[in-house]
């Protein structure tokens, strides 16, 4: 009994002495709580630095965006292939995620070796090897019959701009293959897979192992928002608020950040805690100066640290009686698994003796106790350091969520964490001590990171499928050159039908004579009133023209025309117009002045003289009764009479295209075309009299108001007419009419966009599949919104802001899609309009038998003026389809009122001699 006690006493004493000795020797490796809190604070600062746009380039902790935006929600399903490269083992897997709701995952896997000559050789050979293994797996598992989405778990720092791409920043751990750094890993693998044409895989996602681990654990525990690896290497990822991630556009929701904390300290931040052993180990590593934090923590390095310590202690005579073995001199002789064995609770001491003996040493009891304690200190320091960094992440999460207490789960993986007997307990304890206000659950990933990678791939594959659906819709709006050429030629043919007496009655492009026969010559003068009705605004103007100097002064007032008047009775409409004139005259102090008036009336009118115009039919947003078939000049005169307050001399009725041509023609006599791309779409041009069969004369030229908006009403555009155009047409005031206008003008483009958005939403591709009341409201996308959304200067967030302002609750992804839809619709509009214009300039060139034509187009309209791309695309199309014409586009700054006044001036001049006669 006494002997036993004595033995026990002796052993305790021996142990105490050895522990003290080692503690003294490794004093620098034992980190106090204060130091840990300090390291935690330093890591917090590093995270901040890595996340900032300006500070990221010089940050050592890279905080890499992963483009993984959400943890699994259980709706993932499908069959996936998966590669897991970069940990201690390389695996190929097939993962089957079962039907919704059941949360059932089945995996089949196969390990493949990763010999040093492959992972440290030539980059292309490495990826060829990986591809070979994958092909072999597919062969043995009989998976060659179908296409598989593939997720690649690649456990190295990669800079991503999307999920399916990753630029390798640097190799870490044991890998060092040439020619891969700074290149895209996914492309390498895709290229290597080409050598196996019998296999069909689509690499959809690249994920770090930390991300895979987090996602794996989150599949079972939705609280999981952190992933930590303590294996060959060490690293962590977590869900960060998008608003804190400067490097990625968008503010909404969260994104997983791969911290790459292994590089913490690479800028010198941890020099005060690194020891001579850390420095020696680093110098002998594949990547000196890099991954300094990792080298104090992870499995690849801890055994080596122990070896270096033992060697030094032996040299100093503190171990093995000062004797060293040759094996102890060999790098890598002590591995993490040895440490784990030596630190085992019961058999640890015996294991230690065996391991040391295997190293050719002759350890005493005291040596074994000392060596065991060295291991403890080294692994304890590792756990402490990990705990400090993890505590920083947890604190960040808690602060992001503005919580007093955070409940969260950390997904864990890595051999060191898994096989070391004390490690998890120590880590958990220190973390809880450092962040007492967090309730942390540590969840070991039993199945590695692949299950999580499959979840990411599943989401990516869903997104890809959705993308295809969206692209399919957008493709309907993409016109080929052949399409455009055909539109140009059909338009040209329509011009001829409209001009010829025989075909005119049935022509859809009406080619209306305007009785405007010349351009202003600068001799016009006088004071005129002008009305401008039919565009976005109704204006009344006073125009003063001075002879010779081409100087025009204008005063105008915008009046509203309420919807109920636009679509009420004709009498109400014209009474309202006269009321506005009266207000204007009052306002200008002109009551009683008998001024000549030019009436810009932007609707199709059949004219027999300059001051007569019978409305053929309303277009755009007007639908007042009892007007179609009536002379609008008469209607205006009658309304003036009804009011019986003033008299006006209505001299001319003018289409807005004609007014615009004249406005521009006043400055550039070469302007012989007027184009409106606004609420509606139309064009006029100067035609040879001899070509106009409806007018007797044959000399000179006359302006033709083409009313090209009606192009296509005979079905000639049906090949490019989409279901969305059809819906817009059916919902309009004039179904079946003005088809070209409905594909090209401001009043309808937003409606086409809205119809597409409704369809995409119905397909579950937008707005979370919810069709809001707002989206069902006609006319919400006015030209100005369309123009804003498509502006290149606008950040995604601002687009989202506009959509929200419109009452559409859109995510950032939604906003991207909406912008694309707007782009497709407006692009088609500009191209179609350009094709029409190409037809007219070509006609003019041919009619004049010119090799080259120089001509100016006067243009007006909100779409042309406000939209960021419309005018450019239109001009490009004209150039492409009418290469022999040199077309100058002149924006009408003054609207068509000025042109109408000029026409009035000319008409007045022509009237004069008649009256005098
Ligand atoms: C595995 C994961 O379980 O753990 C890998 O599937 C990961 O993706 C690895 O890289 C990390 O641990 P170790 O010890 O193998 O580096
Ligand atoms: C204005 C003209 O500038 O543009 C109007 O003065 C014309 O006559 C209008 O109708 C066309 O553009 P929108 O976009 O207002 O229809
Ligand atoms: C290394 C890698 C990192 C990986 C970690 C764990 O630190 O750089 O990407 O997550 O090892 O495998
Ligand atoms: C509509 C009208 C047309 C007008 C055009 C532009 O197409 O029918 O007359 O020129 O809109 O406002």
């Amino acid at each position: 009994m006494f002997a036993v006690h004595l033995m026990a006493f002796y052993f305790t004493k021996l142990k105490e002495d050895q522990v003290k000795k080692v503690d003294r020797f490794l004093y620098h490796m034992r980190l106090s709580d204060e130091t840990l809190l300090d390291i935690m604070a330093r890591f917090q600062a590093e995270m901040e630095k890595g996340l900032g746009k300006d500070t990221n380039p010089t940050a050592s902790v890279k905080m890499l965006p992963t483009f993984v935006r959400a943890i699994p929600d259980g709706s993932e399903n499908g069959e996936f292939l998966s590669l897991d490269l970069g940990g201690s083992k390389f695996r190929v897997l097939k993962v089957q995620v079962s039907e919704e709701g059941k949360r059932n995952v089945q995996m089949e896997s196969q390990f493949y070796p990763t010999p040093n000559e492959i992972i440290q050789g030539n980059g292309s050979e490495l990826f060829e090897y990986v591809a070979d293994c994958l092909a072999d797996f597919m062969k043995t598992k009989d998976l060659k019959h179908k296409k598989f989405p593939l997720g690649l778990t690649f456990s190295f720092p990669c800079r991503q701009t999307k999920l399916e791409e990753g630029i390798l920043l640097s190799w870490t751990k044991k890998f060092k293959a040439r020619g891969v750094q700074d290149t895209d890993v996914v492309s390498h693998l895709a290229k290597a897979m080409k050598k196996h044409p019998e296999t069909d895989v689509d690499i959809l996602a690249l994920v770090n192992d930390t991300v895979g681990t987090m996602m794996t654990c989150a599949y079972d525990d939705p609280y999981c928002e952190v992933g930590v690896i303590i294996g060959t290497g060490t690293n962590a990822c977590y869900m960060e608020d998008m608003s804190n991630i400067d490097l990625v556009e968008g503010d909404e929701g969260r994104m997983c950040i791969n911290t790459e904390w292994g590089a913490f300290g690479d800028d010198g931040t941890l020099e005060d805690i690194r020891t001579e052993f850390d420095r020696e180990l680093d110098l002998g590593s594949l990547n000196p100066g890099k991954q300094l934090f990792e080298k104090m923590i992870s499995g690849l390095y801890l055994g080596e640290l122990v070896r270096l310590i033992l060697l030094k202690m032996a040299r100093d005579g503190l171990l093995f009686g000062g004797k060293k073995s040759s094996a102890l001199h060999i790098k890598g002789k002590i591995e993490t698994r040895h440490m784990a064995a030596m630190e085992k609770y019961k058999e640890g001491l015996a294991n230690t003796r065996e391991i040391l003996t295997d190293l050719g040493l002759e350890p005493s009891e005291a040596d074994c106790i000392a060596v065991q304690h060295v291991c403890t200190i080294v692994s304890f320091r590792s756990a402490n350091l990990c705990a400090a960094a993890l505590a920083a992440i947890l604190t960040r999460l808690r602060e992001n969520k503005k919580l007093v207490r955070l409940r969260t789960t950390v997904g864990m993986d890595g051999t060191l964490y898994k096989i070391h007997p004390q490690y998890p307990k120590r880590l958990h304890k220190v973390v809880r001590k450092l962040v007492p206000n967090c309730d942390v659950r540590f969840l070991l990933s039993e199945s590695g990171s692949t299950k999580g990678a499959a979840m990411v791939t599943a989401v990516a594959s869903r997104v890809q499928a959705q993308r295809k659906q969206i692209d399919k819709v957008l493709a309907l709006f993409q016109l080929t050159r052949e399409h455009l050429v055909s539109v140009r030629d059909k338009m040209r043919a329509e011009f001829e039908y409209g001009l010829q007496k025989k075909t005119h009655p049935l022509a859809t492009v009406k080619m209306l004579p305007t009785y405007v026969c010349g351009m202003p010559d600068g001799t016009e003068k006088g004071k005129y009133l002008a009305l401008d009705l039919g565009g976005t605004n109704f204006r009344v103007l006073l125009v003063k023209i001075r002879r010779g100097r081409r100087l025009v002064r204008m005063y105008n007032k915008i009046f509203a025309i309420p919807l109920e008047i636009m679509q009420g009775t004709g009498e109400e409409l014209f009474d309202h117009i006269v009321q506005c004139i009266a207000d204007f005259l009052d306002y200008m102090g002109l009551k009683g002045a008998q001024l000549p008036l030019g009436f810009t009336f932007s609707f199709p009118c059949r004219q027999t003289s300059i001051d007569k115009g019978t409305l053929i039919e309303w277009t755009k947003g007007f639908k007042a009764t009892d007007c179609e078939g009536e002379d609008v000049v008469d209607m205006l005169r009658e309304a003036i009479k009804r009011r019986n307050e003033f008299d006006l001399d209505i001299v001319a009725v003018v289409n807005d295209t004609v007014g615009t041509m004249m406005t521009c023609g006043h400055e550039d006599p070469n302007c012989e075309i007027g184009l409106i791309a606004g609420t509606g779409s139309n064009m006029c041009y100067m035609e040879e009299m001899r070509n106009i069969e409806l007018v007797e004369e044959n000399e000179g030229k006359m302006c033709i108001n083409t009313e090209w908006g009606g192009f296509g009403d005979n079905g000639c555009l049906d090949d490019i007419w989409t279901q969305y155009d059809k819906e817009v047409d059916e919902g309009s005031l004039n179904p079946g009419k003005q088809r070209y206008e409905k594909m090209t003008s401001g009043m309808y483009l937003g409606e086409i966009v809205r119809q597409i958005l409704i369809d995409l939403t119905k397909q579950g591709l937008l707005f979370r599949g919810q069709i809001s009341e707002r989206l069902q409201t006609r006319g919400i996308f006015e030209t100005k919104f369309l123009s804003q959304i498509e502006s290149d200067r606008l950040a995604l967030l601002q687009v989202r802001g506009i959509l929200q302002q419109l009452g559409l609750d859109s995510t950032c992804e939604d906003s991207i899609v909406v912008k694309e839809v707007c782009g497709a619709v407006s692009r088609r509009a500009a191209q179609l309009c350009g094709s029409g214009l190409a037809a007219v300039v070509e006609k003019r060139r041919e009619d004049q038998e010119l090799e080259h034509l120089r001509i100016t187009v006067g243009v007006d309209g909100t779409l042309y003026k406000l939209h960021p791309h419309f005018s450019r695309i239109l001009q490009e199309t004209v150039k492409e389809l009418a290469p022999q014409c040199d077309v100058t586009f002149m924006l009408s700054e003054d609207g068509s009122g000025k042109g109408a006044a000029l026409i009035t001036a000319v008409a007045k001049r022509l009237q004069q001699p008649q009256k005098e006669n």
Side-chain angles (χ1 to χ4, degrees):
M1 192 65 193
F2 179 70
V4 174
H5 276 294
L6 196 63
M7 275 296 285
F9 172 75
Y10 169 76
F11 186 77
T12 313
K13 177 79 175 67
L14 184 70
K15 194 165 173 185
E16 257 173 32
D17 290 348
Q18 293 308 314
V19 166
K20 265 191 204 146
K21 175 176 83 185
V22 173
D23 278 352
R24 232 174 296 130
F25 188 74
L26 294 180
Y27 171 77
H28 209 56
M29 280 198 167
R30 295 169 59 218
L31 307 173
S32 66
D33 287 356
E34 236 166 66
T35 310
L36 291 183
L37 285 169
D38 183 32
I39 293 171
M40 177 177 154
R42 288 188 221 176
F43 191 68
Q44 274 173 309
E46 284 297 315
M47 286 199 285
E48 200 65 54
K49 196 172 166 190
L51 287 170
K53 201 176 207 137
D54 301 333
T55 41
N56 177 279
T58 56
S60 49
V61 176
K62 282 296 177 206
M63 304 295 280
L64 302 166
T66 64
F67 293 82
V68 168
R69 293 173 192 267
I71 61 166
D73 65 3
S75 69
E76 299 77 7
N77 65 55
E79 261 187 315
F80 309 96
L81 284 177
S82 200
L83 292 174
D84 190 352
L85 182 70
S88 53
K89 285 182 176 139
F90 167 42
R91 275 205 288 181
V92 183
L93 303 96
K94 192 193 107 182
V95 186
Q96 178 146 16
V97 188
S98 83
E99 298 307 300
E100 281 180 40
K102 284 197 232 146
R103 288 196 182 247
N104 182 4
V105 178
Q106 277 164 11
M107 303 205 281
E108 286 177 69
S109 75
Q110 168 88 50
F111 287 104
Y112 290 90
T114 43
N116 273 357
E117 57 273 22
I118 292 282
I119 64 175
Q120 294 174 10
N122 191 308
S124 52
E125 279 165 25
L126 166 65
F127 285 99
E128 274 160 28
Y129 173 75
V130 171
D132 290 347
C133 296
L134 177 59
D136 173 75
F137 179 80
M138 290 177 79
K139 193 170 155 214
T140 41
K141 301 279 171 192
D142 198 19
L143 300 175
K144 287 194 179 168
H145 53 283
K146 68 179 240 197
K147 189 180 178 109
F148 278 95
L150 180 133
L152 168 61
T153 305
F154 185 72
S155 311
F156 301 95
C158 290
R159 184 163 308 283
Q160 298 188 269
T161 53
K162 50 184 176 211
L163 196 55
E164 67 279 18
E165 182 197 86
I167 310 293
L168 177 68
L169 295 181
S170 56
W171 287 114
T172 55
K173 301 178 284 193
K174 277 193 259 184
F175 282 61
K176 208 171 172 76
R178 289 182 299 277
V180 188
Q181 193 175 318
D182 299 326
T183 60
D184 173 28
V185 178
V186 174
S187 310
H188 279 290
L189 182 59
K191 193 172 153 211
M193 284 310 295
K194 287 219 176 89
K195 297 209 166 145
H196 296 276
E198 75 284 6
T199 60
D200 193 5
V201 295
D202 196 2
I203 312 167
L204 292 187
L206 175 88
V207 290
N208 188 262
D209 53 354
T210 51
V211 182
T213 300
M214 178 187 82
M215 296 295 276
T216 299
C217 294
Y219 192 63
D220 300 323
D221 175 351
Y223 278 100
C224 182
E225 48 189 348
V226 184
V228 173
I229 299 277
I230 309 171
T232 315
T234 184
N235 189 14
C237 72
Y238 72 102
M239 296 302 291
E240 176 60 89
D241 291 359
M242 279 293 284
S243 54
N244 294 330
I245 308 175
D246 281 2
L247 296 172
V248 182
E249 219 186 327
D251 252 358
E252 191 205 12
R254 300 204 290 175
M255 183 182 278
C256 177
I257 289 288
N258 166 16
T259 64
E260 285 294 329
W261 76 17
F264 181 30
D266 288 5
D267 57 356
T269 327
L270 295 176
E271 281 321 289
D272 55 334
I273 62 157
R274 289 179 74 225
T275 64
E276 57 179 296
F277 307 109
D278 296 308
R279 287 183 234 283
E280 199 180 338
L281 173 132
D282 176 47
L283 285 177
S285 68
L286 281 179
N287 51 351
K290 298 279 166 60
Q291 301 291 101
L292 299 183
F293 192 55
E294 177 161 88
K295 285 171 183 163
M296 293 193 269
I297 294 173
S298 76
L300 183 60
Y301 307 104
L302 290 198
E304 182 63 3
L305 271 181
V306 168
R307 187 185 70 83
L308 293 174
I309 294 167
L310 297 190
L311 201 59
K312 176 86 190 321
M313 287 182 80
R315 262 194 217 124
D316 290 0
L318 294 170
L319 279 179
F320 318 126
K323 276 195 235 144
K324 299 156 282 175
S325 67
S326 52
L328 192 61
H329 278 101
I330 300 175
K331 192 171 137 191
K333 266 290 168 186
I334 300 180
E335 295 175 24
T336 303
R337 63 188 168 92
H338 298 132
M339 280 178 74
M342 293 193 274
E343 286 187 69
K344 276 237 165 97
Y345 185 59
K346 275 187 186 139
E347 56 278 43
L349 220 45
N351 289 346
T352 308
R353 178 177 297 280
E354 204 181 308
I355 288 164
L356 292 175
T357 313
D358 280 351
L359 282 173
L361 298 161
E362 289 165 17
S364 65
E365 186 74 17
D367 286 337
C368 291
I369 294 170
V371 169
Q372 200 182 33
H373 194 56
V374 168
C375 291
T376 305
I377 289 185
V378 170
S379 62
F380 216 137
R381 183 183 69 154
S382 161
N384 274 337
L385 290 172
C386 252
L390 181 53
I393 291 179
L394 295 173
T395 304
R396 195 173 167 91
L397 274 175
R398 187 179 59 75
E399 286 171 358
N400 279 350
K401 295 188 188 188
K402 301 188 175 65
L403 291 175
V404 182
R405 268 200 97 71
L406 173 76
R407 170 185 170 187
T408 194
T409 299
V410 179
M412 302 291 306
D413 204 351
T415 10
L416 178 58
Y417 182 83
K418 280 204 281 207
I419 67 165
H420 193 286
Q422 336 277 354
Y423 202 99
K425 250 183 292 157
R426 289 182 195 155
L427 176 82
H428 303 171
K429 193 168 158 193
V430 183
V431 169
R432 292 191 176 116
K433 191 159 71 182
L434 292 176
V435 281
N437 43 8
C438 293
D439 301 314
V440 195
R441 177 183 181 217
F442 290 88
L443 183 59
L444 180 66
S445 159
E446 304 283 356
S447 48
S449 49
T450 350
K451 188 161 110 184
M455 298 307 150
V456 176
T457 314
V459 173
S461 129
R462 187 164 59 202
V463 168
Q464 193 195 44
Q466 292 177 341
R467 187 65 241 179
K468 277 196 191 139
Q469 276 171 272
I470 294 170
D471 286 345
K472 209 166 125 196
V473 169
L474 295 183
L476 299 173
F477 290 82
Q478 277 146 19
L479 303 180
T480 61
R481 197 192 137 85
E482 285 67 51
H483 281 130
L484 299 177
V485 166
S486 139
V487 168
R488 178 196 65 191
D489 296 347
K490 285 180 197 162
M491 179 70 94
R492 176 73 188 271
E494 294 293 333
F495 289 160
E496 306 303 337
Y497 295 146
L499 287 172
Q500 287 161 19
K501 223 179 202 148
K502 213 168 60 205
T503 40
H504 176 86
L506 288 178
T508 49
V509 178
K510 295 187 194 72
M511 306 297 276
L512 303 167
T514 63
Y515 294 84
V516 169
C517 296
M519 301 306 289
D521 64 3
T523 61
E524 300 79 8
K525 60 167 191 157
K527 255 201 230 173
Y528 304 90
L529 268 187
L531 298 181
D532 188 351
L533 178 77
T536 314
N537 296 310
F538 169 49
R539 285 169 209 267
V540 184
L541 306 93
L542 176 70
V543 185
K544 292 187 187 169
I545 309 171
R546 280 205 238 157
R547 190 209 289 267
R549 278 184 284 164
R550 294 189 184 255
L551 195 72
V552 174
R553 278 230 182 110
M554 300 203 289
Y555 309 86
N556 78 77
K557 211 165 170 224
I558 293 178
F559 294 91
I561 302 195
L563 196 71
E564 62 275 16
I565 295 217
M566 281 162 74
Q567 297 172 16
T569 66
E571 233 181 69
E572 279 168 336
L573 173 63
F574 281 88
D575 285 347
H576 179 78
I577 292 172
V578 172
Q579 169 71 51
C580 296
I581 301 174
D583 287 353
F584 180 75
L585 292 176
D586 235 6
Y587 168 79
M588 297 294 297
L590 285 172
K591 227 167 183 180
Q594 245 227 24
L595 294 172
L597 178 139
F599 183 12
T600 303
F601 183 71
S602 309
F603 301 93
C605 288
R606 188 167 304 285
Q607 295 192 259
T608 49
S609 66
I610 188 83
D611 63 348
K612 283 194 174 24
T614 306
L615 174 64
I616 299 176
E617 61 196 354
W618 286 115
T619 56
K620 301 179 282 192
F622 282 70
K623 195 84 193 160
T625 55
D626 310 320
C627 296
E628 291 178 352
E630 301 295 322
D631 185 333
V632 292
V633 177
D634 286 346
M635 292 185 77
L636 184 58
R637 279 197 188 114
E638 275 156 30
I640 294 173
K641 252 192 228 147
R642 271 200 296 279
R643 188 172 179 99
N644 198 16
E645 219 179 272
F646 51 81
D647 198 14
L648 292 172
D649 176 14
I650 308 168
V651 181
V653 57
V654 179
N655 186 263
D656 53 354
T657 52
V658 184
T660 299
M661 181 182 80
M662 281 295 166
T663 301
C664 295
H666 196 227
E667 276 155 56
D668 177 353
N670 211 24
C671 179
E672 291 200 324
I673 299 179
L675 172 71
I676 297 284
T679 313
S681 171
N682 193 14
M683 185 271 295
C684 74
Y685 71 104
M686 295 305 291
E687 176 60 279
E688 307 298 331
M689 233 12 158
R690 63 182 140 84
N691 291 339
I692 311 171
E693 293 188 0
L694 296 179
V695 180
E696 288 297 315
E697 250 142 296
N698 272 332
E699 292 305 304
K701 294 192 253 187
M702 183 184 277
C703 178
I704 292 289
N705 167 17
T706 64
E707 285 295 329
W708 77 9
F711 180 38
D713 291 3
N714 55 4
C716 73
L717 292 177
D718 283 2
D719 56 333
I720 54 171
W721 180 255
T722 69
Q723 75 183 82
Y724 310 104
D725 294 306
K726 191 162 169 254
E727 275 152 37
V728 170
D729 179 47
E730 281 165 5
S732 69
L733 286 178
N734 50 353
K737 300 281 172 66
Q738 301 289 96
R739 291 198 176 179
Y740 184 65
E741 174 160 89
K742 285 172 186 164
M743 296 166 102
T744 53
S745 79
M747 181 163 164
Y748 306 99
L749 295 195
E751 277 302 280
I752 304 177
V753 167
R754 196 175 65 83
Q755 290 301 340
I756 301 176
L757 299 188
I758 289 178
D759 184 40
L760 293 179
T761 310
K762 273 189 198 150
Q763 293 186 50
L765 302 167
L766 263 185
F767 305 132
R768 304 171 187 89
Q770 302 293 313
I771 300 185
S772 59
E773 208 169 296
R774 227 18 221 159
L775 194 57
Q776 282 172 314
T777 313
R778 206 171 282 167
I780 52 167
F781 284 108
E782 292 168 37
T783 311
K784 67 174 179 210
F785 291 124
L786 220 63
S787 304
Q788 282 171 11
I789 289 170
E790 281 192 65
S791 161
D792 290 333
R793 287 196 303 269
L794 220 59
L796 207 54
L797 209 61
Q798 290 165 291
V799 174
R800 204 171 140 226
I802 297 170
L803 293 175
Q804 281 173 343
Q805 202 184 315
L806 287 174
L808 298 173
D809 182 19
S810 84
T811 62
C812 272
E813 280 77 38
D814 290 343
S815 312
I816 295 174
V817 176
V818 173
K819 191 170 174 170
E820 282 180 279
V821 170
C822 293
V825 171
S826 65
R827 184 179 183 79
R828 183 188 69 161
Q831 287 179 326
L832 285 177
C833 199
S835 307
L837 206 56
V840 74
V841 292
E842 267 300 290
K843 176 176 165 51
R844 287 306 292 144
R845 187 183 68 78
E846 283 174 26
D847 282 352
Q848 294 171 73
E849 292 170 8
L850 292 171
E851 185 67 28
H852 267 280
L853 172 75
R854 278 191 57 228
I855 195 162
T856 299
V857 180
V859 200
D860 205 346
T862 31
L863 183 58
Y864 189 90
K865 282 187 186 167
L866 296 183
H867 194 279
H869 310 301
F870 185 91
S871 58
R872 178 182 45 81
I873 299 170
L874 170 94
Q875 293 174 19
E876 284 167 4
T877 311
V878 175
K879 204 175 215 155
E880 168 94 19
L881 299 187
Q884 283 159 279
C885 301
D886 188 358
V887 184
T888 306
F889 289 84
M890 181 174 181
L891 192 66
S892 156
E893 302 286 355
D894 302 326
S896 51
K898 174 168 140 188
L902 288 165
I903 292 169
T904 309
V906 176
K908 196 77 198 154
R909 194 173 59 211
L910 295 175
Q911 260 179 20
Q912 229 61 46
Q914 280 172 8
K915 280 193 185 162
E916 278 158 23
N917 285 346

